[in-house]
Amino acid sequence: MPANKTGPAPKKKKGRRGRLVAVAVVLLLVAGIAFGAFWGVNTVRASLPQTTGSLKLAGLTDPVDVRRDAHGIPQIYADTDEDLFRAQGYVQAQDRFWEMDVRRHMTAGRLSEMFGKDQVDTDAFLRTLGWHRVAQQEYDTKLSPATKKYLQAYSAGVNAYLKDHEGAALSLEYAALDFQNDYKPEKWTPVDSVAWLKAMAWDLRGNMQDEIDRSLMTSRFTAQQIAELYPAYPYQRSKPIVPGGAVDPVTKEFDPKGSGTGNAPNGTPAGAAHGLQSGLSALSTSLDKIPALLGPNGNGIGSNSWVVSGAHTTTGKPLLANDPHLAPQMPSLWYQMGLHCRTTGPKCTYDVAGYTFSGMPGVIIGHNQDVSWGMTNLGADVTDLYLEKVTTDGYLYDGRRRPFTTRKETIKVAGGPSREITVRATNNGPIVSDRDGELATVGKRAPVGNAAPDRGDGYALSLRWTALDPGTSMDAVFELNRAKDWTSFRKAAADFEVPSQNLIYADTKGNIGYQAPGRIPVRGKGDGTLPAPGWDPDYRWTGVIPQSALPWEYNPARGYIVTANQAVVDEKKYPYLLTKDWGYGARSQRINDLIESKIKDGGKVSTDDMQSFQQDNSSQIARILTPYLTKVNISDPYVREAQQLLDGWDFTQEPDSAAAAYFNGVWRNLLKLAFGNKMPKELRVKGQCLTVRPAGGSGPVDDLAKFVRECGERAPDRAQPDGGDRWYEVVRAILDDPTNAWWKTEDLPGHPGDKNRDQLLAHAMKDARYELTSKLGKNIDNWTWGRLHQMFLKNQTLGTEGPGFLQGLFNRGPWNVGGGEAAVNATGWNASGGYGVTWVPSMRMVVNLADLDKSRWINLTGASGHAYDAHYYDQTDKWAKGELLPWSFGEAAVKKGTKDTLTLTP
């Protein structure tokens, strides 16, 4: 088109200036891109580890070989234990030091030193808990001389790598961090390794979130309604791990509303529950700020593991499977590795391979030459919140004023002045309410009624947690790695105090077993489901369950053992209280059913079967709910078109399934209508606002002005209802009660609510149809569950909080995945927060005890933590397809698969 030559002169000048500006912007962009490319290429090249040739590693007594396969997975060969762990430290630092460095700063409450003032509140809370401080006590007083020797060797290996690498040579993240401050990593210490166990224990701490949530619900729900939202475990449908037991323990509840149904008497002042509610809400907000390295705490933190004896396998020896469910992140939490003594004997005692944590010596899950083991979260209740009667001078206990135990903590801040905090503790533990201004008001109207002493200055919240007592779990890691048989395995389990895990076992002689380890408290009064009165000595912990009394099984007659976060034992047949908040057994029972269907009539389970079980996408709630949905009369043809997707659906959640997409949309909207919109704001998704009846209001309201506008306050991956298998039981209990009160929604003036089950189901189907149309398009033939249910892998620091261009450097995805919440293929999502994947099988393994070289494994990402390394996420596509890699263990098999060999020399 010819230029316009008839316009006025001023416009010509403006247009010319505009073109000049555009040219300048383009030139700047080109220059920026060129600089960025230069910076990125040089930085990546500088940080990629050497994997061939030879390197000197000071402190070695003999040469060590590091053999890496086609996926960069290292297998280390040494002649002494110290050389083995020194090399492990060096190699993990090569691949993952940024991850290690961030972890140790998090566990020590020192994130502000790396990332500045935005992390001060998080650091203050972590200093209050004192993870690193307790780890130091463990190292000084609890761990064996051998464990200390291994930790020292590991640290020396890490520090040898740091001596020769800094800044961009360590990783791309350090190059980016140089733009913000002059941070330099300090030397690694043994306590840095031990402290990681505290972070692991924190994320697997059990029912603390349920304890908070139940208390917060009291502002909106009666005790009976709360009980309906936390139904009893369905022992008849979902088998516990270990059958049998003894007598039922007698426990009593502390009722925070003072209703007279628990141990608090009647006479609570009107509105008293608000004090505890606001305090617990603030605590919940503080918890949101703590990096959850394992994943969102709650229903999703789980895992699958099972073992089948040789009597029922095609190999004639046991097969053992494990897949822990943790947060999707870049890199994966796990690091695959083999640790081999060239000759096992007194000087060198290890021949083990499996999944390690970068920053910690040894193998966490895997096998040695004799035994294999897997882990799932037992979910034992190992935390209690206590309401403390406090003044500026101390706290009340057993009728007497006691002084606080205090300490000062200095938080260094990159680019700013240091901050000093005072940590106060009672005989129950640190006062966590000191870390939030709102929490200071927790007790001014605390719901304790006439049972409370004179209120004085008010109340605070303290935390009792088993992991805050020094323990021996680091010893247990090495003992597991050396275990030869069931006896030595159980001895190792006895030292695995926190976190409390379900340990399954198999050996090359054909035995299988299960052991529940852990330091699990015995309470006086109370059952740990609600905050307890700290001033009453009757609510103190009286001890721990003896290791000899913890549940176990060895070679059960049924020939297999399944652990998937279900109840360990029937509480009516066991003399101790493990928890009141089990997972509800949807995954575990599905695995039981899959195994039983295979072995009935003499059938055998193969390695391929174990792998296919891990990929099972069946939805239990779909099987329960779909028959009701298909019978609802839908008059709107647009909605009926979507409803017809459910006709003949087999309830599997494949990535390409339109029916799975629509069903999960209906499930999400059903939960929102029946339960979510009725939750207190503290449990709803942050920013989601509703017009609701004021708390405590009842009866018909014909004036909209009498309603209030409330906005949710919780992180999307922790909001309620989350849609997990607890909610399966809640809905199952009312499905055949079409007029149950939960099916009824609020009548707003001019907007009548749903009156019964079928109206609410029709409402949910309509809302799901329009929601999925907005997300996936009008044409239901184009709908797929995978497009709705996507997994992103994000670097947990610069990939989430950094500038957009940095996030693009470190993050990967999305992947469209199948599976779902409480499926065996547990790609979890929070029904309140959306359909995105919030936890995944973070690794998968199948161990063949007949021939260890025929075992299989996969990691979520890859061996490397370096963006753009060939092994940064080279396992993810295979993981998403359900594939497993061959897992070589014997020296001949490892040599055959070796692509790179690095020799470390003294």
Side-chain angles (χ1 to χ4, degrees):
M1 184 175 180
N4 179 3
K5 298 180 180 180
T6 61
K11 277 199 172 181
K12 280 188 178 181
K13 288 183 180 179
K14 185 175 180 181
R16 190 178 298 118
R17 281 199 301 270
R19 285 193 294 274
L20 289 173
V21 170
V23 170
V25 169
V26 169
L27 289 173
L28 287 170
L29 285 173
V30 170
I33 291 169
F35 170 73
F38 173 80
W39 174 74
V41 167
N42 279 274
T43 301
V44 166
R45 286 176 176 170
S47 63
L48 296 184
Q50 179 178 337
T51 58
T52 60
S54 64
L55 287 170
K56 291 201 177 292
L57 177 53
L60 290 178
T61 56
D62 296 291
V64 174
D65 290 328
V66 182
R67 301 181 178 274
R68 293 179 184 259
D69 66 10
H71 288 87
I73 300 170
Q75 305 271 354
I76 299 176
Y77 290 84
D79 293 322
T80 70
D81 290 338
E82 291 91 329
D83 283 356
L84 195 61
F85 295 117
R86 189 180 299 263
Q88 184 182 15
Y90 188 89
V91 170
Q92 288 192 342
Q94 280 187 306
D95 283 339
R96 299 282 191 95
F97 184 72
W98 170 261
E99 177 187 22
M100 294 164 59
D101 202 13
V102 171
R103 281 182 183 173
R104 66 166 165 175
H105 279 80
M106 192 271 282
T107 58
R110 296 173 54 194
L111 289 170
S112 300
E113 295 178 23
M114 298 182 76
F115 303 111
K117 63 182 181 180
D118 289 346
Q119 299 300 318
V120 168
D121 288 345
T122 299
D123 283 345
F125 196 93
L126 293 168
R127 295 285 186 97
T128 298
L129 296 179
W131 295 349
H132 198 271
R133 183 169 170 269
V134 177
Q136 183 71 59
Q137 293 171 358
E138 287 186 359
Y139 183 80
D140 291 341
T141 65
K142 290 287 187 177
L143 299 183
S144 71
T147 294
K148 291 183 179 180
K149 183 170 60 177
Y150 301 152
L151 288 164
Q152 291 161 3
Y154 179 91
S155 297
V158 175
N159 292 328
Y161 187 75
L162 291 181
K163 182 181 178 182
D164 298 327
H165 298 79
E166 63 180 20
L170 276 173
S171 77
L172 187 62
E173 289 91 339
Y174 289 103
L177 201 63
D178 277 344
F179 290 132
Q180 301 177 42
N181 59 64
D182 58 356
Y183 168 80
K184 303 293 181 186
E186 61 191 35
K187 287 186 176 182
W188 193 266
T189 73
V191 178
D192 292 334
S193 296
V194 177
W196 171 240
L197 284 170
K198 300 303 171 186
M200 182 179 173
W202 175 256
D203 280 1
L204 300 173
R205 62 191 179 273
N207 78 333
M208 181 175 164
Q209 194 62 58
D210 288 321
E211 186 175 342
I212 292 171
D213 288 356
R214 269 188 290 260
S215 295
L216 292 173
M217 285 180 184
T218 60
S219 70
R220 288 278 172 185
F221 302 138
T222 66
Q224 176 59 37
Q225 287 173 318
I226 295 172
E228 290 168 358
L229 298 183
Y230 286 87
Y233 185 87
Y235 288 102
Q236 297 305 311
R237 279 194 308 276
S238 298
K239 298 177 182 176
I241 298 171
V242 179
V247 299
D248 185 26
V250 177
T251 59
K252 297 180 180 179
E253 293 184 357
F254 168 60
D255 178 10
K257 295 191 74 174
S259 63
T261 58
N263 288 311
N266 293 313
T268 302
H274 178 74
L276 185 60
Q277 183 193 19
S278 62
L280 289 170
S281 174
L283 174 58
S284 185
T285 301
S286 296
L287 297 179
D288 274 344
K289 298 174 184 176
I290 298 179
L293 291 183
L294 302 189
N297 185 266
N299 189 64
I301 291 290
S303 305
N304 301 323
S305 70
W306 64 92
V307 60
V308 182
S309 77
H312 299 302
T313 67
T314 58
T315 66
K317 289 290 178 69
L319 294 170
L320 185 150
N322 197 185
D323 56 284
H325 306 155
L326 307 174
Q329 57 187 17
M330 180 63 80
S332 166
L333 194 76
W334 300 106
Y335 184 89
Q336 295 152 289
M337 191 174 236
L339 301 171
H340 308 279
C341 291
R342 293 191 180 97
T343 303
T344 56
K347 287 176 53 181
C348 203
T349 56
Y350 293 89
D351 188 13
V352 62
Y355 294 86
T356 72
F357 289 135
S358 54
M360 255 182 63
V363 169
I364 304 301
I365 294 174
H367 69 81
N368 60 30
Q369 69 273 35
D370 297 306
V371 309
S372 179
W373 66 95
M375 295 186 190
T376 64
N377 191 21
L378 192 150
D381 185 358
V382 295
T383 61
D384 276 338
L385 290 170
Y386 283 91
L387 210 58
E388 303 282 2
K389 172 66 182 71
V390 300
T391 66
T392 54
D393 300 324
Y395 63 97
L396 193 76
Y397 177 72
D398 198 16
R400 292 174 48 215
R401 181 69 51 193
R402 309 290 178 98
F404 295 114
T405 301
T406 63
R407 68 178 190 274
K408 300 285 187 182
E409 296 275 355
T410 300
I411 300 172
K412 297 180 181 178
V413 182
S418 296
R419 311 284 181 87
E420 186 177 85
I421 64 170
T422 299
V423 177
R424 302 187 299 171
T426 73
N427 58 359
N428 289 313
I431 296 181
V432 291
S433 53
D434 283 349
R435 300 284 72 86
D436 192 298
E438 290 182 55
L439 287 171
T441 66
V442 64
K444 291 183 179 177
R445 290 187 293 166
V448 291
N450 296 335
D454 175 55
R455 290 185 180 275
D457 292 349
Y459 291 80
L461 282 171
S462 66
L463 173 66
R464 183 80 170 96
W465 178 34
T466 56
L468 297 184
D469 298 324
T472 55
S473 292
M474 196 71 238
D475 284 344
V477 171
F478 296 111
E479 291 169 4
L480 281 173
N481 287 194
R482 296 192 305 265
K484 299 292 185 184
D485 51 28
W486 175 242
T487 300
S488 52
F489 173 81
R490 289 194 76 199
K491 182 178 182 299
D495 285 330
F496 204 94
E497 295 179 331
V498 293
S500 186
Q501 298 287 285
N502 294 307
L503 292 175
I504 60 166
Y505 166 93
D507 63 36
T508 55
K509 295 180 180 178
N511 303 298
I512 66 173
Y514 163 82
Q515 177 66 59
R519 185 191 298 146
I520 303 173
V522 175
R523 294 169 175 84
K525 287 185 178 179
D527 61 7
T529 60
L530 293 166
W535 57 85
D536 188 341
D538 288 346
Y539 286 87
R540 291 274 289 169
W541 292 359
T542 61
V544 296
I545 300 175
Q547 178 69 25
S548 60
L550 288 171
W552 61 277
E553 272 194 315
Y554 186 60
N555 291 330
R558 64 185 178 279
Y560 64 90
I561 302 170
V562 175
T563 86
N565 316 115
Q566 78 272 41
V568 173
V569 292
D570 187 333
E571 64 178 13
K572 294 180 180 179
K573 301 178 181 178
Y574 186 68
Y576 296 98
L577 177 66
L578 297 176
T579 185
K580 288 285 188 179
D581 291 300
W582 301 113
Y584 282 75
R587 283 181 287 110
S588 63
Q589 193 53 46
R590 177 62 177 170
I591 297 167
N592 273 292
D593 292 344
L594 289 168
I595 294 172
E596 289 178 357
S597 68
K598 191 71 181 180
I599 66 176
K600 69 179 181 181
D601 302 323
K604 302 288 185 180
V605 176
S606 67
T607 307
D608 287 342
D609 292 328
M610 300 285 278
Q611 184 173 340
S612 70
F613 293 168
Q614 290 179 327
Q615 288 299 304
D616 185 80
N617 287 328
S618 177
S619 169
Q620 184 190 92
I621 189 59
R623 193 176 300 275
I624 296 166
L625 186 58
T626 299
Y628 293 85
L629 297 176
T630 56
K631 292 176 182 176
V632 173
N633 183 26
I634 301 294
S635 58
D636 184 343
Y638 193 62
V639 180
R640 190 165 61 249
E641 180 187 33
Q643 181 189 31
Q644 289 169 350
L645 288 172
L646 302 177
D647 292 337
W649 179 42
D650 64 357
F651 316 119
T652 60
Q653 302 168 99
E654 299 299 329
D656 60 355
S657 172
Y662 182 59
F663 173 81
N664 283 312
V666 175
W667 175 238
R668 166 172 150 82
N669 281 279
L670 180 160
L671 291 171
K672 178 182 177 182
L673 293 167
F675 309 102
N677 290 349
K678 301 168 186 175
M679 291 281 172
K681 63 183 185 298
E682 294 87 357
L683 272 67
R684 298 202 313 268
V685 174
K686 187 174 184 178
Q688 291 185 0
C689 302
L690 294 172
T691 299
V692 297
R693 186 188 300 271
S698 62
V701 179
D702 56 7
D703 183 359
L704 193 59
K706 294 181 180 179
F707 284 76
V708 296
R709 190 73 171 165
E710 286 188 351
C711 297
E713 299 178 353
R714 182 155 293 184
D717 61 4
R718 295 179 55 250
Q720 290 293 337
D722 61 22
D725 60 359
R726 172 164 67 89
W727 293 98
Y728 295 6
E729 296 302 316
V730 172
V731 172
R732 187 200 299 265
I734 64 174
L735 266 177
D736 291 328
D737 182 5
T739 61
N740 188 282
W742 289 112
W743 296 122
K744 299 173 184 178
T745 59
E746 182 68 76
D747 281 320
L748 293 175
H751 299 279
D754 302 313
K755 306 300 182 187
N756 57 47
R757 178 196 65 201
D758 288 354
Q759 285 186 15
L760 187 140
L761 294 182
H763 191 167
M765 284 192 280
K766 176 184 176 181
D767 287 356
R769 175 36 156 146
Y770 283 93
E771 182 187 11
L772 267 62
T773 296
S774 70
K775 294 178 181 296
L776 302 177
K778 290 183 178 180
N779 187 350
I780 64 173
D781 293 334
N782 294 331
W783 289 2
T784 68
W785 174 227
R787 285 178 58 206
L788 201 61
H789 188 52
Q790 293 184 321
M791 178 186 74
F792 290 84
L793 297 174
K794 294 185 178 182
N795 178 293
Q796 294 301 290
T797 51
L798 301 184
T800 55
E801 301 296 333
F805 81 95
L806 278 181
Q807 293 189 29
L809 290 176
F810 297 115
N811 298 342
R812 299 295 183 268
W815 281 265
N816 298 344
V817 298
E821 176 62 43
V824 179
N825 183 20
T827 56
W829 55 286
N830 184 297
S832 290
Y835 302 97
V837 175
T838 56
W839 50 79
V840 295
S842 55
M843 63 79 158
R844 297 185 182 102
M845 74 175 193
V846 178
V847 180
N848 183 334
L849 277 301
D851 186 344
L852 293 170
D853 288 329
K854 291 183 179 178
S855 301
R856 305 172 186 176
W857 61 352
I858 197 80
N859 205 350
L860 176 64
T861 59
S864 178
H866 298 287
Y868 302 104
D869 186 282
H871 306 304
Y872 190 49
Y873 66 109
D874 59 333
Q875 298 185 49
T876 309
D877 285 343
K878 292 180 180 294
W879 174 94
K881 296 174 184 175
E883 299 176 11
L884 300 178
L885 300 174
W887 181 358
S888 299
F889 178 71
E891 188 172 7
V894 170
K895 281 185 177 180
K896 185 177 180 181
T898 296
K899 298 299 181 185
D900 292 328
T901 300
L902 173 68
T903 300
L904 302 173
T905 61

